[in-house]
Structure formats: C-alpha cells, structure tokens
Amino acid sequence: MVTTDQLVAHLVGDFIAQSDWMALNKSKRSLPCAVHCLIYTACFAVFHPSPAALGVIFGTHFLIDRFGLARYLVWLKNWQSPDGYKPWRECAATGYSDDRPLWITVWLTIVADNTLHLLCNGAALTWL
C-alpha cells in the first residue's frame, strides 16, 4: 500500500519542506497548516494521482496536523489496559501521561502522527 516513492514524498513534504513557521503554528492556526498541507500535497503530484487522491491527502493531513489527532489515537490505544488509563486532562499534550519522560512521549506521538499520514496517503493513492 505504501511505496518507497510515497515514503520519500512524505518525508520531503513533512520534514524538509516544512518551515519553522509552519511547524510551530500549524496546530494553532489554520493558515500555516493549510500552507504546509499545500506544499506537502504538491510533493505527491509527481505520481499524477487523481484529484480525489490529492484532496484526501491534503484534507487528512490538514485534520491530523491542525487538530493533533495523533494525540487522541495514542490516548485511546492506551485504554487497552485492564486498569484503564489516565484522564485526558493529564494526557492532552501528547496523548501520554504527564508522568512519562517528555522526550519519549513526543517522539512516540510523532511516530503515531507519521503512521496516520502514511496510511491515509497509501489508501488515497491506491484506491482513488
């Protein structure tokens, strides 16, 4: 579902082409997020995907980044414990409990975020 070319386009669009302004403001304001998503989506144009696939890539990327959806996914998956998990107010920053080291929770959330992007992109480019 995800090819090497798609992975390279994702890495270029999400890391190399993303400015500091975009990275620091995309979860706070829609304009920096939209600019980031437009540049990100342009990296996939080399595959000549359908307009629908490009729309899904842009739209899902915008939603995931603007609203920090990976945090919610991480928080929900941690509820698989028989004891439940911490309330959202203690996990809102990364989806992980505040009693975990910040450096690891940030990196694990970044991994979850990138996995969501790759799944959405792969599905869009495969089926649309």
Side-chain angles (χ1 to χ4, degrees):
M1 174 159 38
V2 177
T3 67
T4 304
D5 291 342
Q6 292 169 21
L7 181 59
V8 170
H10 167 73
L11 293 172
V12 169
D14 221 16
F15 295 100
I16 294 175
Q18 182 173 203
S19 72
D20 227 15
W21 171 74
M22 293 175 214
L24 294 173
N25 293 294
K26 66 185 179 184
S27 65
K28 299 173 190 164
R29 298 184 1 240
S30 292
L31 178 63
C33 189
V35 172
H36 165 58
C37 293
L38 186 63
I39 293 168
Y40 177 84
T41 302
C43 293
F44 288 86
V46 298
F47 304 120
H48 305 288
S50 70
L54 287 174
V56 167
I57 290 170
F58 178 91
T60 58
H61 201 90
F62 183 88
L63 292 172
I64 291 166
D65 281 11
R66 178 67 177 89
F67 301 108
L69 297 185
R71 299 174 303 142
Y72 297 98
L73 175 67
V74 166
W75 184 70
L76 288 172
K77 66 106 177 161
N78 282 328
W79 276 91
Q80 294 180 76
S81 165
D83 302 325
Y85 198 61
K86 310 273 182 163
W88 177 250
R89 70 181 174 279
E90 295 178 31
C91 305
T94 63
Y96 289 96
S97 168
D98 288 340
D99 60 0
R100 305 283 187 277
L102 183 61
W103 70 270
I104 192 69
T105 63
V106 168
W107 278 107
L108 290 171
T109 305
I110 289 170
V111 170
D113 173 83
N114 281 274
T115 302
L116 283 174
H117 290 312
L118 292 171
L119 289 171
C120 292
N121 298 345
L125 292 170
T126 300
W127 294 310
L128 297 178

